[in-house]
Amino acid sequence: MSEALLLSLIQKLDINYQENIEINEGVKVAMERVIKEMRVIVEIVRDKKLEEGRSLNFLVSDLVDMADDAIDHFKQHGSYSWNYESIHSWMGEIKKQMLTLGDDDESNIRSLENVDDEYPLVGLEEDLEMLLRKRIIGGEGFFSWAVVIKGMSGIGKTTLAREIYNHPTVRKHFETRAWVSNSTYFTTLKELLINLIQQLEDPLNLHASSLLENMDNRSLRDMLHQHLQGKRYLIVLDDLPKQMRLKFLETLPKCIRSRLLLTSHTTHVDIHLYDENVYKMNPLDSKKSWQLFLKTINHGNKLKGEHKFPKSLEYMGKLMLRKCGGLPLAIKEVGKQLAEKKVSGESEWEQLLESVDFGSTLKLLEPFYHKLDPKLRSCFLSMAFFKENTTLRAEKLKQIWNVVGVAQEYICESYLDGLINESVIDVKDKSTEYHINVVLHMLSIQKAEEEFSFEILRNNGNNRPSESPRDHRVIICSRDKFNYSTDQDKHLVSLFFHGGGYFDANPSYWNSFELLKILDLEDFGLKILPETIGALMKLRYLGLRNNYIKDLPQSLRCLKELEVLDIALNFMVEVPDIVWEMDSLCHLYMSDVICRKPLKIDALTFLETLTYISVDNWRYGIWGLKKLKFLKKLGIEGLDRNSDVGKLFGSLANLEYLNHLILRGYRFRSMACLDDIGILHKVHTLKLDGLIARLPTNLPPKLESLTLIDSCLDEDPMPLLGTLLNLRYLKLRNAYTGQQIVILHDSFPCLGVLCIEELWNLRNVQSGKDAMHWLEKLEIHDCPYLDTLPETNMWVLLKEIKMVTTKSIATKMRNSEYLISNTETVNINPMS
């Protein structure tokens, strides 16, 4: 029966393909892939000799539904390949499930998910109150119908959704409710539909399961719609696979008081939402983490009286909790692990804290790793290269991925977006800096050691290189003598050093790395770079940022394949006249360097990034600049009143692809008038770092991101900046000395993020009507006298306020009714 249905389905798809043979190439290829995959599935059914059971019938029903939907979509909308591509993705998941089926394995079909939890809600009370008030009970209109709770696995999405589902106000508000979860294993669309109907159906008229199972998916969708018509309902879809076809949701009745609530670590392909419909969950802070830990460790009957966690070890316990990264899953697992031990005194507690094992937590997070798109898994594994809790720069990540072969440079940006979308990394600063949770970082190390030919060595003699050759290695150095072996070094592709800079290997050590492409010593505290570094002939990435290096060896000229050289934040490092010979360089990062001769930068014809070069070293010759046809990001330092900025901007206008410009002056010397900067029509990111007498009256017209640092302006910059039509990000740090900021009516039409820091005299911010209408995030730090903000109901999309101020002002702001009631995340803390 199933095989016959599938063959009939293939015939129908073939006919549709033949009738539309003249369609565009993208759709043609997508249709061919779907048909090919369908034939593979037929062979699986045939080879495994699967009997006609519920599991197989459910999977086949989904395939029939998808194929019919694809054909209907093509007839209605014509040449669009995305529908076939999403179908192909879901077919891959169905194929995996078929490969695991046994003879009518009824255990694969699941009944209503049990949403009870043995631990009380801790640390999520504010999230619960906000969602109920603004999204579930509050909030009206068509666009409020669907809400997504998003965040990494283990952060409490299901716990929060459960509290909403069972809340007394919710029970009273909604006429009918249903919950479907995929917390443990795969769910078919047909199973989901049957499950919903059984929960929403009047118990007195409940259809027999066998009757529902014999219906096709379209009939089930129509029945579900009929049950919900005219009712105020709440449907929770918990942790469903992102590839699952949820097109049926489009046909559900969308009463303004009804709600669809989804929990997910990613964005579902069939749920198209405005950003304001996504509620992003964040890790618990230290205070809430400690509360959850205590409740967990004191839960149950093993800890009584004197056996409870001793108050004297609170500090040590909080230090241990830092390794949990505010992740409720990790905190609970650690708490349960300690609670299961029988302890009789403080010394035993101390030993337990020192030996906490995160193995069970990582085991629980493994499904999160396996759910990642295969293309993103290698990117996730590469996170093991970096230090715990470090800042991940977008440029560095993309360059490492490109050199290692994880992703080609032209698609690295989409991989970054993918990791953010999958809740692997969080954006730290305007999409150029990222952070990975410490527990996920542990998981990346574990999986990299298993799957990525990766190892971590410590120079304390407690471990030695793996017996099998490795491609990637991290060496963690301490003050102990560095014991090293070169037996397998010739296989290494990447080598990262972490630690305190003590590294006593002989210079000949570098001769053994025949295939090394990446050498990263960032933040290592290195003082001397040996001349033998030139032996690394295959090196493509050399990271020396933030060290104590005084001069670069002449042997660097031998690194003919080097693409990235990062020597930034090495104060007054001397750069010999060799850089121009490294003609493969694409990215060169410097700051405060000494150059005895002008750098022949125009010889680097592949250069894309150059930060920073002294304005005195910048060559103004137009013919030479035309050779820099790929330069996109440029930082120029050393500007003062005597700098010929008119000539500078005239030369920069000849750089065809320049879109990111940084200008840096001296600390106590003002830069020249920058009015001519407006001729740089293609610049969309601008950073001005240093004193300026006034803002340029003519800024680049396509400006999207602007940062002003230490500008110390006397005049309020907001009236002028508010006229920039494309500005999306604005950061002011010590940029204005006045007491009041005025945001004019209808100004900043596209601004999404505003950061205000170190405006020491600022007392109030005023805003006109409809100003900053699209503002989502407001950050205020070190403005000790600022005590007046515009009412946040003027900024209707504002999601987050972060503020560090005085204790009295922090208390005043936290007690502000309009601030708390109209903003999702309010994080206001007193200055330390």
Side-chain angles (χ1 to χ4, degrees):
M1 177 67 176
S2 295
E3 183 179 339
L5 261 176
L6 293 174
L7 290 172
S8 174
L9 203 55
I10 291 173
Q11 185 179 19
K12 188 187 295 187
L13 288 168
D14 266 328
I15 292 172
N16 184 63
Y17 176 76
Q18 295 300 327
E19 288 177 349
N20 298 281
I21 199 68
E22 301 299 326
I23 57 180
N24 70 51
E25 191 64 26
V27 177
K28 181 179 176 181
V29 171
M31 291 175 70
E32 288 173 348
R33 291 177 67 201
V34 168
I35 294 171
K36 182 180 179 181
E37 190 79 338
M38 193 70 75
R39 290 196 173 109
V40 171
I41 290 174
V42 170
E43 292 302 317
I44 292 172
V45 173
R46 188 177 292 154
D47 292 346
K48 287 180 68 67
K49 297 181 175 57
L50 295 174
E51 294 184 8
E52 296 299 327
R54 296 172 68 203
S55 301
L56 180 59
N57 290 337
F58 281 15
L59 293 169
V60 171
S61 292
D62 279 11
L63 288 171
V64 171
D65 190 39
M66 287 190 301
D68 288 341
D69 181 63
I71 293 171
D72 290 347
H73 187 276
F74 185 83
K75 289 178 180 178
Q76 294 175 18
H77 303 287
S79 301
Y80 293 97
S81 64
W82 65 267
N83 196 45
Y84 282 95
E85 290 168 354
S86 63
I87 287 173
H88 183 267
S89 175
W90 184 236
M91 287 175 68
E93 297 297 321
I94 290 178
K95 182 174 70 174
K96 291 178 187 177
Q97 182 68 3
M98 282 187 168
L99 289 169
T100 65
L101 285 179
D103 294 340
D104 198 18
D105 185 2
E106 299 295 335
S107 65
N108 284 328
I109 305 302
R110 183 161 43 97
S111 60
L112 175 64
E113 179 74 17
N114 181 2
V115 297
D116 290 336
D117 193 290
E118 62 173 311
Y119 293 98
L121 183 75
V122 176
L124 302 178
E125 295 85 356
E126 294 177 6
D127 301 84
L128 174 63
E129 193 275 335
M130 175 63 70
L131 274 168
L132 287 174
R133 176 167 42 83
K134 293 201 68 175
R135 302 295 177 81
I136 306 301
I137 306 300
E140 296 185 4
F142 176 80
F143 296 116
S144 300
W145 172 68
V147 179
V148 174
I149 300 176
K150 185 178 178 184
M152 64 175 287
S153 287
I155 206 164
K157 301 184 298 295
T158 299
T159 301
L160 181 57
R162 178 213 62 205
E163 292 293 326
I164 291 170
Y165 187 79
N166 292 325
H167 197 277
T169 305
V170 169
R171 290 176 179 270
K172 182 178 179 180
H173 181 79
F174 294 101
E175 298 175 53
T176 185
R177 299 173 303 135
W179 174 294
V180 178
S181 178
N182 185 55
S183 298
T184 53
Y185 58 86
F186 183 94
T187 302
T188 63
L189 176 57
K190 184 166 185 174
E191 180 191 1
L192 185 152
L193 292 168
I194 291 174
N195 205 324
L196 286 174
I197 291 170
Q198 289 180 327
Q199 294 181 63
L200 297 168
E201 177 80 86
D202 185 340
L204 297 178
N205 298 318
L206 188 64
H207 286 76
S209 295
S210 58
L211 177 61
L212 295 175
E213 289 170 13
N214 290 329
M215 297 172 66
D216 60 34
N217 285 22
R218 291 199 172 191
S219 299
L220 291 170
R221 279 153 43 184
D222 292 340
M223 180 180 287
L224 180 61
H225 183 278
Q226 183 180 355
H227 289 329
L228 296 175
Q229 187 67 47
K231 295 181 181 178
R232 191 164 61 242
Y233 61 85
L234 170 66
I235 293 177
V236 179
L237 304 181
D238 177 43
D239 193 31
L240 294 180
K242 68 175 180 179
Q243 300 93 344
M244 176 177 272
R245 300 283 294 171
L246 296 178
K247 298 291 288 184
F248 78 93
L249 295 176
E250 296 178 356
T251 65
L252 294 183
K254 296 178 178 61
C255 167
I256 62 172
R257 289 289 187 176
S258 296
R259 291 292 181 270
L260 172 68
L261 178 63
L262 298 95
T263 71
S264 178
H265 66 273
T266 186
T267 301
H268 200 285
V269 294
D270 284 331
I271 304 296
H272 305 290
L273 298 168
Y274 289 87
D275 287 343
E276 58 265 30
N277 293 82
V278 179
Y279 188 86
K280 184 178 180 299
M281 292 190 66
N282 296 309
L284 302 181
D285 60 25
S286 58
K287 181 179 179 180
K288 293 176 181 177
S289 295
W290 184 247
Q291 290 173 352
L292 178 58
F293 173 73
L294 287 182
K295 279 188 176 290
T296 304
I297 203 170
N298 294 326
H299 185 79
N301 56 13
K302 290 189 176 180
L303 297 170
K304 299 292 184 182
E306 68 275 8
H307 298 303
K308 289 191 175 183
F309 193 83
K311 182 75 174 176
S312 58
L313 291 180
E314 181 173 329
Y315 177 74
M316 185 177 180
K318 288 181 177 179
L319 284 180
M320 180 275 298
L321 276 187
R322 290 182 183 179
K323 297 180 180 179
C324 295
L327 193 66
L329 173 69
I331 297 169
K332 289 180 181 181
E333 282 299 306
V334 167
K336 286 193 291 185
Q337 182 184 141
L338 296 177
E340 290 172 356
K341 308 292 184 181
K342 294 182 179 180
V343 291
S344 59
E346 185 173 311
S347 61
E348 290 188 28
W349 273 115
E350 190 169 349
Q351 292 175 10
L352 285 176
L353 288 174
E354 292 175 346
S355 61
V356 164
D357 180 20
F358 286 87
S360 61
T361 300
L362 300 184
K363 188 70 175 177
L364 290 171
L365 285 175
E366 275 202 29
F368 172 79
Y369 168 72
H370 292 296
K371 287 177 185 178
L372 289 177
D373 187 305
K375 296 177 182 177
L376 294 179
R377 286 180 198 162
S378 294
C379 296
F380 175 74
L381 297 178
S382 71
M383 297 298 171
F385 299 159
F386 305 102
K387 295 179 183 178
E388 176 186 296
N389 267 330
T390 192
T391 296
L392 305 169
R393 298 192 308 278
E395 290 177 318
K396 182 173 182 177
L397 281 174
K398 290 187 285 188
Q399 289 156 7
I400 295 292
W401 292 343
N402 180 49
V403 174
V404 171
V406 167
Q408 295 298 315
E409 190 169 3
Y410 70 95
I411 59 172
C412 281
E413 194 68 41
S414 66
Y415 279 42
L416 274 172
D417 292 339
L419 291 178
I420 296 169
N421 185 49
E422 296 278 1
S423 302
V424 174
I425 57 177
D426 289 322
V427 179
K428 193 171 182 180
D429 178 34
K430 66 169 183 177
S431 298
T432 60
E433 294 181 346
Y434 305 94
H435 175 265
I436 182 170
N437 186 277
V438 292
V439 181
L440 278 187
H441 184 253
M442 284 188 231
L443 181 63
S444 73
I445 292 174
Q446 182 187 85
K447 304 309 292 184
E449 289 174 337
E450 295 172 1
E451 304 176 15
F452 206 51
S453 189
F454 170 79
E455 67 180 355
I456 295 180
L457 297 182
R458 302 178 186 273
N459 72 330
N460 55 15
N462 292 335
N463 56 12
R464 302 192 63 79
S466 170
E467 293 182 1
S468 59
R470 297 288 177 171
D471 294 335
H472 312 287
R473 180 183 295 166
V474 166
I475 296 179
I476 300 178
C477 294
S478 65
R479 297 300 300 177
D480 298 326
K481 182 176 176 59
F482 179 57
N483 297 314
Y484 62 93
S485 169
T486 61
D487 294 342
Q488 298 173 3
D489 292 346
K490 63 181 180 180
H491 298 282
L492 282 178
V493 173
S494 67
L495 180 58
F496 293 76
F497 281 83
H498 301 167
Y502 185 74
F503 182 74
D504 62 347
N506 192 289
S508 62
Y509 172 74
W510 303 107
N511 294 326
S512 59
F513 299 105
E514 300 175 7
L515 302 177
L516 196 67
K517 295 180 181 180
I518 297 174
L519 175 59
D520 187 59
L521 293 132
E522 182 172 340
D523 301 327
F524 187 63
L526 193 68
K527 296 181 179 180
I528 298 174
L529 192 65
E531 190 73 28
T532 50
I533 204 77
L536 305 178
M537 304 295 289
K538 297 292 184 180
L539 204 63
R540 294 171 57 190
Y541 181 100
L542 180 56
L544 303 171
R545 179 180 293 239
N546 197 27
N547 282 288
Y548 302 102
I549 301 170
K550 291 299 182 182
D551 53 67
L552 297 179
Q554 293 282 339
S555 65
L556 284 185
R557 60 165 34 107
C558 301
L559 305 181
K560 297 297 184 182
E561 297 185 21
L562 195 66
E563 298 170 13
V564 181
L565 175 59
D566 189 347
I567 56 172
L569 304 181
N570 285 272
F571 183 67
M572 303 305 287
V573 60
E574 183 168 346
V575 180
D577 185 25
I578 57 169
V579 173
W580 65 274
E581 298 181 48
M582 304 159 69
D583 52 11
S584 291
L585 271 181
C586 298
H587 307 280
L588 176 56
Y589 302 95
M590 308 183 293
S591 58
D592 299 315
V593 300
I594 300 173
C595 302
R596 303 298 181 186
K597 297 180 181 179
L599 298 176
K600 302 174 184 178
I601 295 298
D602 57 341
L604 304 177
T605 55
F606 293 104
L607 203 61
E608 298 178 25
T609 305
L610 174 57
T611 60
Y612 290 87
I613 183 171
S614 166
V615 67
D616 296 328
N617 269 328
W618 183 254
R619 302 183 64 185
Y620 299 132
I622 292 177
W623 292 107
L625 289 177
K626 284 186 176 180
K627 296 178 182 178
L628 299 175
K629 56 184 177 180
F630 298 114
L631 192 62
K632 299 175 184 176
K633 180 178 180 180
L634 175 63
I636 296 181
E637 62 184 3
L639 278 76
D640 60 17
R641 290 184 181 276
N642 299 318
S643 302
D644 191 344
V645 292
K647 191 173 182 180
L648 172 65
F649 296 145
S651 69
L652 297 182
N654 290 283
L655 298 172
E656 184 177 357
Y657 294 106
L658 183 67
N659 56 42
H660 189 155
L661 179 63
I662 307 168
L663 300 178
R664 177 188 286 175
Y666 293 97
R667 185 172 183 182
F668 299 111
R669 289 154 61 181
S670 179
M671 288 187 271
C673 176
L674 303 176
D675 284 347
D676 291 337
I677 200 172
I679 67 173
L680 304 179
H681 297 289
K682 296 180 181 179
V683 170
H684 59 65
T685 301
L686 177 63
K687 179 178 178 180
L688 302 179
D689 185 351
L691 287 169
I692 50 177
R694 60 175 176 81
L695 276 179
T697 55
N698 186 21
L699 286 162
K702 296 183 180 179
L703 208 57
E704 297 178 3
S705 174
L706 176 62
T707 301
L708 299 178
I709 296 178
D710 294 333
S711 304
C712 297
L713 295 165
D714 296 326
E715 186 178 351
D716 182 1
M718 302 307 262
L720 176 58
L721 299 180
T723 63
L724 296 173
L725 300 180
N726 300 304
L727 194 64
R728 291 175 171 80
Y729 176 93
L730 176 61
K731 181 174 183 177
L732 306 175
R733 191 175 82 194
N734 192 27
Y736 171 54
T737 59
Q739 296 185 10
Q740 178 174 279
I741 279 178
V742 178
I743 303 166
L744 300 179
H745 170 70
D746 276 339
S747 60
F748 295 100
C750 290
L751 195 68
V753 179
L754 174 61
C755 300
I756 300 173
E757 300 178 6
E758 299 177 21
L759 301 192
W760 305 109
N761 300 321
L762 186 65
R763 295 181 180 274
N764 69 81
V765 177
Q766 298 182 7
S767 178
K769 184 179 179 182
D770 293 328
M772 296 187 179
H773 181 75
W774 295 100
L775 192 69
E776 294 186 358
K777 184 175 182 179
L778 175 64
E779 290 194 18
I780 302 173
H781 300 282
D782 298 317
C783 299
Y785 300 110
L786 177 62
D787 63 356
T788 305
L789 290 175
E791 294 188 3
T792 54
N793 56 16
M794 299 179 64
W795 298 335
V796 293
L797 301 181
L798 190 63
K799 288 185 174 182
E800 181 178 3
I801 293 179
K802 288 185 177 181
M803 191 170 181
V804 178
T805 182
T806 62
K807 184 175 182 179
S808 60
I809 294 176
T811 302
K812 174 184 175 181
M813 290 295 184
R814 280 197 291 257
N815 293 334
S816 171
E817 183 177 349
Y818 72 79
L819 190 69
I820 300 301
S821 62
N822 290 284
T823 309
E824 282 186 6
T825 304
V826 178
N827 189 354
I828 300 177
N829 296 304
M831 292 185 294
S832 56

